Structure formats: structure tokens, C-alpha cells
Amino acid sequence: MSGFSSAAPLPFATEVDRAAAERRLTLLGLTAVIAIGAAIRVININAVGLNSDEAVYSGQAAALSGDVGFQQFFAIFRAHPLLVQFLLSVLYQFGVNDVAGRLLSVAFGVAAILITYLLGSVLFSRRAGLLAAAILAFLPYHVTVSRQMLLDGPEMTLWLLATYFVARYVASDVARWLYAGAFTAGLTILAKETAVLLVVVFVAFVLMTPVVRLGLRRVAIAAGCFLLAVVPYPASIALSGASETARQFLIWQILRQPNHTATFYFEVLMTAVGPIVLVVAVLGIVAAVRIGGWQDRLLVAWLLVPIAFFEIWPVKGFQYLLPVAPAIALLVARAFEAPWTEWLQGRIDRLRIDRERIVGARAFGAIVIPLVLLLTLAPPTTAAVLNTSAQGSLAGTGGLPGGREAGQWIRENVPAGATFMTIGPTMSNIVQFYGHRHSLALSVSPNPQRRNPAYDPILNPDRAIQTLEIHYAALDIWSAERSPFFATTLRRYLVKYHGRVVYEQRAVVRHADGTTADGVVIQIYELHP
């Protein structure tokens, strides 16, 4: 009897030990993924100065922090809500600089890696969660955007967190997870208003998933939590008297002209995500559609709603699709999960293949194939981190080499009170953030319905120069590439009013064929009417 008692617990004990070892290995792997992901996002983070959007959001945060010097250049209420800018303004209590915002974005990005693991564990398994977290950690798209002071990185992380809470609710039917998801969805909209698509995703998911139980009382409380999170922004607009400004921004957003072709996002995802990852993600979609569990329906709704909206919306941006990046990572992990097991097992039984050999091959493939997949992300991710050359005029792809240096020269050498004329708002924002000098852009339309209300037009450039309302001009290669007509117009004014070069900023420029060369990226002219 004693021998039987001592032998009986061994299988159970072995299973417990195996599970404990798996948890330890998963924790070790997750720690390594998060540490490497954080290092990737921090390395070289301040080698290049802020781009136009980064300068605007950082300037807003500085104005929110009470810095009078920035309040004259950057209006607090512009096109987007202010959650991220408010968080940065807290950091700016210790001094305004151009790296704090990027570090804040990195913090959100690293948090997204952990949340992706947690969500993958709820939806599928710890192994799937770890693989999805690793893909997001090394994904060039997420690495590039989460290294910049943009709203899209925090928006994506909050979107991901809200989805995690909803998944916990569906898995457990515990109401507090639903309320947490609703409140976080509201915060996501406070990060960027396009996150209202998250509500559409959740509604679509509930409508096509009968197993989700939502009573009227729970829906009412969840709606209250959502409104509680969202209401500070419209309330602050109303109390500050900026309702007309908000209306102008809404009209401008609706009437904006298309800025890219219909194939833009396909091209972005192909390069920023990678063709191999996309192919495996498509396999994950096939598996999700075939199985059709609530987990799969959540991922499909998460992926399709934003892609459909931004494809239809005429204005397209490099970073706009970032909220679907975790969905892509989770679908890739889904492709390595159970759906193929039954099919493969059936073939093994029919062919009577040695099971031990097949099990060994499957174990080998489960480790090696994901590693090979991650290795395919290494070259573009490394380039995104280490390359400090100009990456063209596509907004959201990185900083502007030479912009910070030119702005600092302006601040130190141009008389206070001087006003600049530029091709477009890109250079104007750099001049105002780094140079602390007013700047107006030629490309800003005099038609209020066709311009960003945050920018003032130059109604009569000739008169403004002749009456000494404009004193300097700044010519940059990025705006010239985007707006050749206004670049030609600016050069005409430089000739007409005897523009004299007083400063040139050089930087490494990457050409369309991938080659790089040192060249002049910004020229500062003094005008002499």
C-alpha cells in the first residue's frame, strides 16, 4: 500500500512541475521581450529633432504647463483632445525639452507589449500571448511610431487595454471588466478622437457574437462609465469658450482633400509590417474565420473596422492604422495555435507516421519558425532605430534632421519679434517650437473652410514683406517636395525681395533609391524689401 501511495502522485506531480516550468520560461521570455522592446525604442531616440506634429503636441503641452513663451505660438485647443498633451505637461513642470514627450510615448509603447501578452493569454494561451508580444516589440511600424511624440502610440495602447478588459468580461462574465473597458474606451478617445472607432468595433463584435451577455443595466452603467471618461474634453471646450474653434476644426477635417492614393495603406503595411508577417497574419485570419470563436470574431472586427474606415476616409496618414498593429500580432500568433492541430493529426493517423518523430518536428517548428519570423523584422527595425537621415516628406515616419539645429540658430541669432515665411506649416512649427519666433506658411489657404484653423494665412505676401510684417524666410526640402508650387512661389519672393542666405543647415539625406548623401536641408533668408 505504501509503495502504491508513493507512486500514484507522480503523474500529477510531473504535470504540475511541467506547468510550473512553462510559467517560469514564459515569464523569463516576457521579461526579455519587454527589456529588448524598451531598449529598441530608447536607443538613438533624440538623435534627430522633432517633426512638425511632434512640435505641435509638445508645444501644446508646454502651453498647458503654463510656459508663457510657448502659449503665444501654440494654442491649447486645436484639432485633437488633450489627454497625452496633459500628461506631458506634468513632465514639463520640470522643464520643457524635446525628449520628454518621446520617452512618454515609449512608456506607452512598452506597456502595449505587456498588455498584448495579457490579451493573448486571455484569448488563446500564454504561448500565443508571448509570441504576439514579441512581434509587437519588434514590429517596425510600432517601433517607428512609439519613438515619436505622437498621439497614435498612446491611443493604440489605451485601445489595446480597453480590448483586454472587454475580453476579460466575455471570458468571465464579471461586470467590472465591462465597466473598466467602457471607461478606458473613453480615455482612448481623449487620446485621439479617431478612437471612436473602438466603439464601432465593440458594437460589431457584440452583434456578431451571441455568447456575449449584455443586460440593460450593464449597458447603462457601461455607457455612464464611458461618458464619465469622455466628458472632460467637451466640458473644457465649453468652459473655455473654444466651441467655435472646435466647430471650425470639425468642418476642416470633413472637407480636407485627399492626400494619398487608395493603395497608400497597402504600401505602408507592406513595408512597415513586412510581407512575411502579413502573410502569416492572413493565415491567422483564415483560422479565425474557420473557427469562429468569440476570440476570433473580436480580432476580425478589430482589424476590419479601422482599415475599412481609414481606406474610405480621404485623408490618410502613415500612423493612422497603428491601432490594428496588436490585432495583426495576435492573428500571427493565432496562426501558430490550435486550428491546424486537428488537420495535422488526421493526416498523421491516415499515413501512420511515427508519432514521436512528428511531435519532435512540431516542437522544433513551434520554436524555430517564430524565431525566423522575428528575424525577418530585424533589418527594418534596426534601420528605423539607427538611421538618422531624412526619410522624405511622409509625416509620421520620424524626426526632421537639422530642424532642431536650425531652430536653435534662429532663437540665438534672429531678433525677438521677427516673423518668418515658410512653404508650409511643417517648417513653421519647427521655427516656433525651437526658434520661438512667429512663422506663417504660404500654403495655408485664405479660405477658412480649406485650412487648418490653427494656422493663419498670409493674405497678401507682397504687402506683408513691404510693410515689414515678415522679415525672414525659411526654405526646407521636405515642404518643397510636398508642395512644389508653393516652393516655387517662395523662391520667387526671395528673388523679388533680395533674399540673402544667412544660415544653411546640412544633414544626411536619403534619396528615393536608398542612397544617402550630405546636403543642405534648410536655408534661412533675410528679406530686404
Side-chain angles (χ1 to χ4, degrees):
M1 178 68 70
S2 60
F4 177 78
S5 300
S6 61
L10 286 179
F12 176 74
T14 302
E15 190 67 29
V16 171
D17 291 342
R18 185 181 295 116
E22 182 181 344
R23 284 195 298 271
R24 287 195 295 269
L25 286 174
T26 301
L27 179 60
L28 181 62
L30 180 62
T31 302
V33 165
I34 292 175
I36 296 173
I40 289 173
R41 285 157 176 78
V42 171
I43 291 174
N44 235 21
I45 192 170
N46 205 35
V48 177
L50 303 180
N51 61 38
S52 177
D53 287 344
E54 289 183 290
V56 169
Y57 303 140
S58 299
Q60 282 183 286
L64 275 169
S65 72
D67 191 308
V68 178
F70 284 93
Q71 288 175 349
Q72 61 180 313
F73 302 117
F74 297 97
I76 292 176
F77 293 101
R78 294 170 72 104
H80 303 295
L82 297 168
L83 175 63
V84 180
Q85 296 92 317
F86 170 75
L87 294 176
L88 180 56
S89 73
V90 176
L91 298 179
Y92 278 171
Q93 297 299 322
F94 303 97
V96 176
N97 58 77
D98 55 3
V99 71
R102 288 178 172 175
L103 291 177
L104 177 64
S105 186
V106 166
F108 273 100
V110 174
I113 299 172
L114 174 60
I115 300 169
T116 299
Y117 164 76
L118 295 175
L119 179 57
S121 300
V122 171
L123 296 180
F124 305 118
S125 67
R126 285 195 296 268
R127 181 179 63 183
L130 181 59
L131 177 57
I135 291 171
L136 188 68
F138 302 126
L139 197 68
Y141 194 16
H142 188 247
V143 169
T144 298
V145 179
S146 63
R147 287 166 52 85
Q148 302 173 67
M149 174 48 201
L150 299 175
L151 307 182
D152 306 85
E155 175 203 18
M156 189 216 76
T157 300
L158 291 170
W159 183 310
L160 178 60
L161 182 60
T163 306
Y164 167 71
F165 288 143
V166 169
R168 288 293 300 266
Y169 168 70
V170 178
S172 65
D173 196 34
V174 176
R176 67 173 179 270
W177 295 114
L178 175 64
Y179 306 149
F183 186 82
T184 308
L187 293 180
T188 308
I189 294 175
L190 289 189
K192 192 173 183 181
E193 73 285 352
T194 51
V196 72
L197 292 173
L198 178 58
V199 178
V200 181
V201 170
F202 288 163
V203 170
F205 166 62
V206 170
L207 291 177
M208 64 183 185
T209 313
V211 298
V212 179
R213 287 173 287 183
L214 285 174
L216 183 60
R217 181 174 179 272
R218 288 186 176 182
V219 171
I221 296 176
C225 292
F226 174 79
L227 292 175
L228 181 64
V230 170
V231 75
Y233 184 61
S236 62
I237 290 177
L239 292 174
S240 64
S243 299
E244 178 61 22
T245 301
R247 187 188 67 82
Q248 292 175 355
F249 274 115
L250 178 61
I251 294 174
W252 169 69
Q253 290 281 24
I254 294 174
L255 298 178
R256 289 176 69 182
Q257 298 298 307
N259 59 344
H260 291 288
T261 64
T263 61
F264 174 75
Y265 286 121
F266 175 78
E267 298 165 2
V268 165
L269 291 179
M270 188 61 68
T271 56
V273 174
I276 297 178
V277 170
L278 285 179
V279 168
V280 180
V282 169
L283 293 177
I285 294 174
V286 173
V289 172
R290 179 184 176 187
I291 297 175
W294 69 264
Q295 303 93 329
D296 305 292
R297 299 183 188 198
L298 177 60
L299 289 180
V300 171
W302 182 358
L303 184 70
L304 294 185
V305 169
I307 289 179
F309 174 82
F310 284 115
E311 183 60 34
I312 295 172
W313 190 252
V315 179
K316 306 184 189 308
F318 172 80
Q319 69 273 30
Y320 290 179
L321 280 183
L322 189 67
V324 306
I328 293 174
L330 287 162
L331 285 167
V332 170
R334 182 51 155 162
F336 288 93
E337 277 292 296
W340 319 111
T341 303
E342 295 179 4
W343 178 87
L344 180 61
Q345 193 63 54
R347 297 302 184 277
I348 293 172
D349 292 338
R350 291 180 187 177
L351 299 175
R352 297 181 180 179
I353 301 175
D354 181 11
R355 286 180 178 272
E356 292 186 2
R357 182 177 301 174
I358 291 297
V359 170
R362 285 175 58 192
F364 179 79
I367 297 174
V368 173
I369 295 178
L371 286 178
V372 172
L373 183 65
L374 292 175
L375 286 175
T376 64
L377 301 176
T381 299
T382 301
V385 172
L386 299 181
N387 201 330
T388 59
S389 60
Q391 299 187 36
S393 61
L394 183 57
T397 55
L400 295 183
R404 173 171 54 200
E405 292 76 10
Q408 290 172 343
W409 182 90
I410 291 171
R411 188 171 185 176
E412 295 171 0
N413 295 276
V414 172
T419 299
F420 278 75
M421 178 172 62
T422 65
I423 299 172
T426 293
M427 193 62 206
S428 283
N429 290 329
I430 297 299
V431 169
Q432 294 188 147
F433 183 82
Y434 285 113
H436 280 208
R437 301 295 184 270
H438 282 287
S439 184
L440 301 170
L442 282 171
S443 65
V444 174
S445 173
N447 185 345
Q449 295 183 340
R450 292 187 174 274
R451 71 166 183 262
N452 185 329
Y455 302 123
D456 295 321
I458 308 176
L459 298 178
N460 189 332
D462 283 290
R463 181 172 177 80
I465 296 173
Q466 292 168 1
T467 58
L468 299 180
E469 296 174 33
I470 292 177
H471 313 87
Y472 291 84
L475 180 66
D476 67 285
I477 62 171
W478 306 285
S479 300
E481 179 182 336
R482 278 195 302 271
S483 306
F485 171 80
F486 291 105
T488 301
T489 302
L490 179 59
R491 291 189 178 99
R492 188 169 66 247
Y493 285 122
L494 292 176
V495 173
K496 184 176 182 179
Y497 294 105
H498 314 291
R500 180 174 63 87
V501 176
V502 293
Y503 179 78
E504 287 186 340
Q505 178 61 51
R506 303 182 68 87
V508 177
V509 180
R510 186 163 64 240
H511 302 294
D513 59 2
T515 60
T516 59
D518 182 76
V520 175
V521 293
I522 298 171
Q523 292 176 310
I524 306 299
Y525 291 83
E526 186 176 19
L527 301 176
H528 298 276

